[in-house]
């Protein structure tokens, strides 16, 4: 039995479908912009925001709000429901089945509601939104919530993989999402992690990350060994317990996650089209990833990062970047790393400011995050020749 992708969708500032996002990325587009006093914050920031009017129009056109009358939905809830609905239209599964599980990845949920005079504390949590989504689609199971800093989106996919491999469920609907707020932007600013200009992954002049909004959904199903399409071969989560926010300087957790998934999938560097990495553009993250990649013997594999197009989309990142890499390899392409032009890490990695051609059909997705958490997964599509 394999774990196969049967549907997917991305809602972001670059478009409300995976295809729209792929076309925009291949054209080098980004909606990252500098704001001098966003939400009245006393410092400039460079972020990517989903525009409200197109989102409202798409939400009203696709989502039937009668299931929860007299409710004003938050932006976070809207992008979660919209992305999930679009992905499920592709999969044609019965969401009312007890063999289907919903999994939500988010680092912040509805934290913006804490600014209200009398906040609904329960509604703030990602678990509340997960239950909202399950209720909308008539699912009888208790949904799973994954919130593990920057690796949440990949952790959620690995959780889906385990649920399906164990036989507990037949299908998993994995949604990752986050929206920005003064609390989130100010939090990253307090860590001196933000750049006031376009981020530059792995670059010599990188000075911090950008933030972005997005929701992404992938639907996985248990399938026979000979089924076609994209499949997840392996997934691993490793924690190096280095620091509450700083990554291990030797890339210990990322290295161990990489070695685990390569061993479990029986793949080598020669089998991989690319490594899609975290690439936040912070001084220590990019350096750590370059060390981990070299320690794992993957220095020759093309590396790319998506943060220059979207910023760091937090709980959506692991799913959004996985879906985009799948779509790119279907076209025989490896997207360029936007913002990269001059190597700035001590260990060599194979980065490019231009898109590359490939005929290979497998890739590794790698993420790292606060608390020393790291995750990696291997995906392949045998039908790509």
């Amino acid at each position: 039995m394999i774990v196969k992708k049967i549907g997917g969708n991305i809602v972001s500032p670059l478009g409300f479908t995976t295809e729209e996002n792929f076309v925009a990325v291949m054209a080098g587009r980004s909606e990252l912009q500098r704001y001098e006093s966003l939400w009245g914050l006393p410092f400039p920031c460079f972020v990517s925001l989903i525009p409200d009017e197109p989102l409202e129009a798409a939400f009203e056109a696709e989502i039937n709000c009668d299931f929860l009358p007299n409710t004003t939905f938050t932006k976070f809830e809207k992008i979660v429901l919209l992305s999930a609905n679009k992905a499920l239209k592709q999969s044609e599964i019965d969401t009312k089945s007890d063999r289907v599980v919903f999994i939500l990845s988010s680092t912040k949920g509805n934290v913006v509601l804490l600014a209200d005079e009398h906040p609904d504390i329960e509604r703030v949590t990602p678990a509340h939104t997960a239950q909202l989504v399950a209720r909308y689609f008539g699912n009888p199971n208790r949904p799973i919530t994954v919130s593990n800093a920057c690796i949440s989106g990949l952790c959620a996919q690995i959780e889906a993989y385990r649920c399906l491999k164990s036989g507990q469920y037949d299908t998993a609907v994995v949604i990752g999402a986050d929206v920005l707020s003064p609390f989130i932007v100010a939090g990253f600013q307090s860590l001196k992690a933000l750049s006031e200009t376009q981020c530059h992954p792995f670059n010599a002049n990188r000075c911090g990350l950008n933030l972005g909004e997005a929701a992404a959904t992938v639907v996985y199903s248990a399938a026979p060994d000979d089924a076609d399409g994209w499949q997840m071969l392996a997934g691993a989560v490793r924690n190096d317990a280095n620091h509450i926010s700083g990554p291990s300087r030797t890339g210990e957790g990322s290295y161990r996650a990489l070695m685990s998934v390569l061993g479990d999938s029986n793949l080598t560097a020669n089998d991989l089209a690319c490594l899609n990495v975290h690439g936040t553009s912070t001084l220590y993250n990019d350096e750590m990833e370059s060390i981990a990649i070299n320690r794992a013997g993957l220095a020759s594999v093309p590396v790319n990062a998506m943060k220059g197009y979207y910023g760091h989309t937090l709980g959506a990142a692991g799913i959004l970047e996985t879906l985009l890499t799948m779509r790119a390899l279907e076209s025989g392409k490896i997207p360029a790393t936007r913002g990269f032009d001059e190597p700035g890490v001590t260990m060599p990695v194979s980065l490019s400011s231009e898109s590359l051609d490939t005929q290979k059909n497998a890739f590794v997705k790698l993420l790292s995050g606060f608390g020393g958490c790291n995750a990696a997964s291997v995906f392949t599509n045998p039908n790509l020749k």
Side-chain angles (χ1 to χ4, degrees), residues 122-141:
E122 181 183 356
R123 193 177 178 187
V124 169
T125 66
H128 183 277
T129 303
Q131 293 165 355
L132 175 76
V133 174
R135 177 179 173 183
Y136 179 79
F137 291 104
N139 188 259
N141 294 315

Side-chain angles (χ1 to χ4, degrees), residues 200-205 337-344 351-353:
H200 298 278
F202 295 91
N203 223 57
N205 66 342
T337 297
R338 191 176 191 272
F340 171 78
D341 55 29
E342 181 184 357
L351 286 144
S352 176
S353 59

Side-chain angles (χ1 to χ4, degrees), residues 268-335:
T268 68
N270 290 333
D271 300 312
L272 300 175
C274 67
L275 289 169
N276 179 256
V277 298
H278 201 33
T280 62
S281 304
T282 60
L283 181 64
Y284 294 124
N285 176 87
D286 293 5
E287 174 69 7
M288 173 276 294
E289 284 196 290
S290 76
I291 293 172
I293 289 166
N294 276 265
R295 289 181 65 189
L298 301 174
S300 63
V301 178
V303 168
N304 78 327
M306 300 289 188
K307 301 298 189 292
Y309 301 97
Y310 296 94
H312 192 338
T313 55
L314 306 172
I319 302 171
L320 180 153
E321 293 166 5
T322 296
L323 288 172
L324 278 176
T325 306
M326 289 176 174
R327 179 64 187 85
L329 294 191
E330 289 171 2
S331 295
K333 296 291 185 180
I334 301 170

